[in-house]
C-alpha cells in the first residue's frame, strides 16, 4: 500500500474543523482563546509560566498525560477540569519594585536569580490589579518615593501586592517597604484611593527580606486591613499575610469536587488535616455534624477560628498541631472520624500521619494533592493498608504553569482488618 498523502491545511482550517466536531461550549471557547502565553513580552526572561510555549489546549493534554502516568496504577484518571478563561485568574498579584536609572520599575521577581523581569501587566493577574500597579508606579515616581535598590540597600519600596475578591469587588493594596516609613504617604494613599474606588484597604508591611515575602510588622494606612471573599457560599476574611488559594474560580471547583467525593449526609464527623485557614472544611460545614481542623501554622489556625465565627459555624474546632501528632493522639484517645480531608504541601503526608490515619480507619479519605509524585507514594501506602481508590480527578488550578492539582477519593475496603500501630 502506498503512503497516505499528507494534506497541509491552514491553522484556522484545523481549528474550524476541530470546532465543528466539538459540541461542548467550554471546549469550543478553549479552542477559540488566543494563545496569549505566546504573546507575553517577557516569557523568556520570566520563567514563571513553564508551559507558555503551549496553547491552553495542549497544556491540559500535557497535564492530563502527566497525571495519568503517575496515577494510572490506582485506576482511571478522569479528564482534567480546565478553566474556561485561563487568564487573569490570580486574586493575588505581586510585583517587585526596583530602581532603574533612579526611577521605579515593576516586574516579576525571579527566585532562581533574585533578578526582576520588568513588566506591569502579567496576564495571570487580575486586570484591575495590573492597572492599579501601573498607576502606583507612576505615582511613586511623581511623589519621589525611592524604590528599593538591592545593590546599594537604599530606597524604601520593595514590592507591591494586591489582593482582590471577585465576589465582593474589594481590593487590598499592600506596600511592602524596608522601614515603617514612606515619603508622602498620605498623598499616595489619597490619590490611589481616589483613582480606584474599588480599593477598600491599604496596608504598609515592613519586610527586611530580599525575597517577595511579607514581614510580621504592618500598619494599616486606609480601611480595615482586611478584605472579604466568598467561596462556596461561605465568607472568608483575608488579611495581607493570610494563606488563601490564588485561583478562586478553580478553588470552588476543587472544593466542590472534594465535598462531592466525601458523600456527606449531615451526620459525619470530619477531620480537615493540613487545613490552612479552614476553607475546605468550612465549605462542607452545612453537610457534617462536626469539623476538627489540624494545622501547623498558628496564624492560619487563628484565621480558621475567625472564619468559622464569621459564618456562624459552631461545630468546628481547630488545633495548632502537626497533623501526624494530632492523628496519633486522636487514635490513642479512641476518636473516630467518618471522613478525613487531607491537603498537604508538596512533600505530601508524613508517613506517621498515614500510619495513624490507617489505624483511625475513616470510611472515606479525600486527598487533595498539589504534587502527583508524593500523591502516588501516599496512595501506594493507603492501598496496602485497607483502602481502595475510587475516583481520581485532576483540576487545573494554575494555568500556564506546570503545577497539577488532583482530588482523590479513597474508601475503606470491606472486611479489611484495621491496621494497628506497629503493623508497618
Ligand atoms: N487546605 C488548605 C491549605 C492547604 S496548604 C486550603 O485549601 O487552603 C497546606 C497546609 O498545610 C498549609 O497551611 C501548611 O501550613 C500546612 N502544614 C504543613 N505541614 C504541616 C504539618 N506537618 N501538620 C499540619 N499542617 C501542616
Amino acid at each position: 500500500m502506498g503512503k497516505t498523502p499528507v494534506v497541509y491545511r491552514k491553522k484556522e482550517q484545523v481549528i474550524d474543523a476541530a470546532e465543528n466536531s466539538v459540541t461542548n461550549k467550554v471546549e469550543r471557547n478553549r479552542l477559540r482563546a488566543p494563545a496569549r502565553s505566546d504573546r507575553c513580552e517577557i516569557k523568556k526572561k520570566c520563567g514563571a509560566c513553564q508551559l507558555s510555549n503551549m496553547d491552553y489546549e495542549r497544556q491540559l493534554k500535557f497535564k492530563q498525560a502527566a497525571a495519568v502516568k503517575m496515577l494510572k496504577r490506582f485506576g482511571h484518571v478522569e479528564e482534567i477540569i480546565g478553566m474556561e478563561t485561563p487568564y487573569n485568574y490570580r486574586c493575588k498579584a505581586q510585583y517587585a519594585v526596583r530602581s532603574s536609572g533612579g526611577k521605579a520599575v515593576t516586574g516579576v521577581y525571579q527566585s532562581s536569580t533574585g533578578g526582576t523581569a520588568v513588566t506591569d501587566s502579567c496576564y495571570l493577574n487580575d486586570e484591575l490589579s495590573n492597572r492599579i500597579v501601573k498607576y502606583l508606579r507612576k505615582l511613586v515616581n511623581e511623589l519621589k518615593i525611592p524604590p528599593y535598590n538591592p545593590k546599594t540597600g537604599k530606597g524604601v519600596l520593595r514590592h507591591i501586592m494586591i489582593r482582590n475578591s471577585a465576589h465582593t469587588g474589594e481590593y487590598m493594596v499592600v506596600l511592602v517597604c524596608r522601614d515603617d516609613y514612606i515619603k508622602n504617604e498620605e498623598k499616595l494613599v489619597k490619590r490611589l484611593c481616589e483613582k480606584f474606588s474599588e480599593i477598600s484597604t491599604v496596608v504598609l508591611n515592613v519586610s527586611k527580606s530580599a525575597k517577595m515575602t511579607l514581614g510580621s510588622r504592618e500598619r494599616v494606612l486606609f480601611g480595615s486591613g482586611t478584605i472579604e471573599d466568598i467561596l462556596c457560599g461561605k465568607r472568608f476574611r483575608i488579611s495581607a499575610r493570610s494563606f488563601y488559594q490564588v485561583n478562586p474560580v478553580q478553588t470552588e471547583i476543587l472544593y466542590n469536587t472534594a465535598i462531592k467525593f466525601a458523600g456527606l449526609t449531615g451526620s459525619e464527623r470530619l477531620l480537615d488535616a493540613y487545613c490552612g485557614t479552614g476553607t475546605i472544611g468550612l465549605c462542607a460545614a452545612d453537610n457534617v455534624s462536626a469539623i476538627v481542623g489540624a494545622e501547623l501554622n498558628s496564624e492560619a489556625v487563628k484565621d480558621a477560628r475567625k472564619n468559622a465565627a464569621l459564618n456562624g459555624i459552631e461545630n468546628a474546632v481547630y488545633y495548632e498541631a502537626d497533623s501526624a501528632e494530632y492523628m496519633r493522639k486522636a487514635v490513642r484517645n479512641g476518636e473516630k472520624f467518618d471522613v478525613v480531608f487531607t491537603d498537604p504541601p508538596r512533600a505530601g503526608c508524613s508517613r506517621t500521619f498515614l500510619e495513624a490515619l490507617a489505624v483511625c480507619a475513616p470510611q472515606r479519605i479525600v486527598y487533595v494533592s498539589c504534587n502527583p509524585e508524593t500523591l502516588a507514594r501516599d496512595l501506594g501506602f493507603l492501598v496496602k493498608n485497607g483502602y481502595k481508590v475510587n475516583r481520581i480527578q485532576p483540576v487545573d488550578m494554575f494555568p500556564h504553569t506546570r503545577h497539577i492539582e488532583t482530588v482523590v477519593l479513597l474508601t475503606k475496603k470491606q472486611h479489611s482488618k484495621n491496621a494497628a500501630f506497629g503493623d508497618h
Side-chain angles (χ1 to χ4, degrees):
M1 251 179 41
K3 272 191 189 167
T4 319
V6 180
V7 180
Y8 292 98
R9 287 195 287 176
K10 280 193 183 153
K11 195 172 166 200
E12 304 83 76
Q13 283 177 317
V14 176
I15 300 253
D16 278 353
E19 269 197 61
N20 290 338
S21 68
V22 170
T23 46
N24 173 310
K25 183 172 157 247
V26 176
E27 289 283 311
R28 265 203 319 269
N29 282 346
R30 270 193 215 144
L31 284 167
R32 285 193 193 128
R36 267 190 257 184
S37 43
D38 286 341
R39 295 193 198 156
C40 175
E41 307 151 359
I42 57 153
K43 75 174 182 186
K44 285 206 175 105
K45 283 191 207 145
C46 173
C49 294
Q50 301 89 357
L51 305 187
S52 62
N53 57 330
M54 303 178 193
D55 65 21
Y56 192 52
E57 263 308 275
R58 275 186 58 207
Q59 290 179 21
L60 290 176
K61 288 198 176 120
F62 173 87
K63 291 189 185 188
Q64 180 71 14
V68 168
K69 189 171 170 208
M70 295 303 301
L71 303 169
K72 68 175 178 214
R73 68 186 157 109
F74 301 105
H76 171 65
V77 179
E78 289 165 54
E79 197 188 333
I80 187 165
I81 306 175
M83 284 193 90
E84 193 164 337
T85 313
Y87 303 99
N88 308 105
Y89 61 79
R90 284 184 63 97
C91 63
K92 182 171 102 172
Q94 279 179 291
Y95 283 97
V97 181
R98 291 290 173 261
S99 161
S100 171
K103 292 232 160 196
V105 292
T106 52
V108 180
Y109 177 75
Q110 294 163 296
S111 51
S112 53
T113 60
T116 303
V118 175
T119 184
D120 53 17
S121 49
C122 168
Y123 63 81
L124 301 192
N125 292 333
D126 170 78
E127 265 171 347
L128 184 63
S129 297
N130 281 344
R131 275 193 275 139
I132 294 174
V133 165
K134 241 180 223 176
Y135 183 74
L136 242 175
R137 194 197 55 219
K138 268 202 257 159
L139 214 51
V140 161
N141 284 326
E142 224 177 275
L143 297 174
K144 305 213 176 328
I145 295 166
Y148 181 69
N149 184 336
K151 285 193 190 121
T152 61
K154 292 200 174 132
V156 177
L157 188 59
R158 284 177 179 277
H159 72 266
I160 298 165
M161 181 172 100
I162 301 179
R163 286 184 181 273
N164 76 292
S165 160
H167 278 98
T168 63
E170 292 178 314
Y171 281 72
M172 170 197 289
V173 175
V174 184
L175 304 164
V176 184
C177 297
R178 198 182 52 155
D179 293 307
D180 183 6
Y181 169 76
I182 193 161
K183 192 176 164 186
N184 286 325
E185 176 187 301
E186 276 175 23
K187 276 190 197 152
L188 178 78
V189 173
K190 187 166 178 286
R191 287 190 51 191
L192 188 63
C193 296
E194 270 172 9
K195 173 88 179 164
F196 298 99
S197 57
E198 297 87 348
I199 298 176
S200 54
T201 189
V202 181
V203 176
L204 187 159
N205 179 282
V206 183
S207 175
K208 301 288 176 198
S209 164
K211 297 197 179 118
M212 298 288 284
T213 49
L214 300 190
S216 56
R217 227 168 90 210
E218 59 187 35
R219 185 159 58 87
V220 176
L221 307 183
F222 173 72
S224 65
T226 58
I227 57 169
E228 266 186 28
D229 190 30
I230 298 169
L231 267 183
C232 307
K234 297 283 182 287
R235 301 186 83 83
F236 294 94
R237 195 164 294 152
I238 308 157
S239 61
R241 284 180 296 140
S242 296
F243 174 84
Y244 199 69
Q245 296 278 357
V246 295
N247 183 340
V249 171
Q250 294 299 89
T251 300
E252 279 200 332
I253 292 174
L254 183 80
Y255 287 1
N256 283 330
T257 304
I259 293 166
K260 183 178 80 187
F261 282 7
L264 303 170
T265 62
S267 62
E268 288 82 4
R269 201 159 176 261
L270 171 75
L271 174 66
D272 188 1
Y274 303 87
C275 70
T277 52
T279 39
I280 301 188
L282 291 172
C283 288
D286 298 343
N287 303 315
V288 295
S289 68
I291 301 170
V292 177
E295 162 63 47
L296 207 52
N297 181 312
S298 60
E299 293 289 317
V301 173
K302 278 185 209 151
D303 282 346
R305 289 179 185 141
K306 281 188 207 154
N307 286 332
L310 185 65
N311 291 286
I313 294 168
E314 290 171 356
N315 58 349
V317 287
Y318 293 94
Y319 295 102
E320 182 187 331
D322 167 54
S323 287
E325 282 308 308
Y326 174 77
M327 199 78 237
R328 285 178 73 92
K329 211 189 264 174
V331 168
R332 276 201 303 274
N333 295 341
E335 283 200 46
K336 286 282 164 208
F337 293 101
D338 304 292
V339 175
V340 171
F341 282 169
T342 182
D343 183 9
R346 289 186 61 74
C349 296
S350 72
R351 178 70 179 228
T352 328
F353 172 79
L354 292 174
E355 284 172 2
L357 180 61
V359 179
C360 182
Q363 282 302 325
R364 294 183 289 284
I365 298 170
V366 179
Y367 194 135
V368 180
S369 155
C370 55
N371 182 352
E373 268 180 38
T374 52
L375 173 64
R377 179 199 68 200
D378 294 352
L379 293 182
F381 177 91
L382 289 168
V383 164
K384 275 198 203 126
N385 288 277
Y387 283 86
K388 64 174 192 279
V389 173
N390 298 73
R391 306 277 301 262
I392 306 174
Q393 176 66 69
V395 178
D396 192 19
M397 295 290 284
F398 310 103
H400 313 289
T401 77
R402 65 181 143 74
H403 300 291
I404 303 172
E405 195 92 6
T406 316
V407 189
V408 177
L409 168 67
L410 297 110
T411 51
K412 208 167 97 175
K413 280 183 205 150
Q414 296 289 312
H415 314 301
S416 82
K417 84 172 174 64
N418 280 2
F421 281 140
D423 271 5
H424 316 285

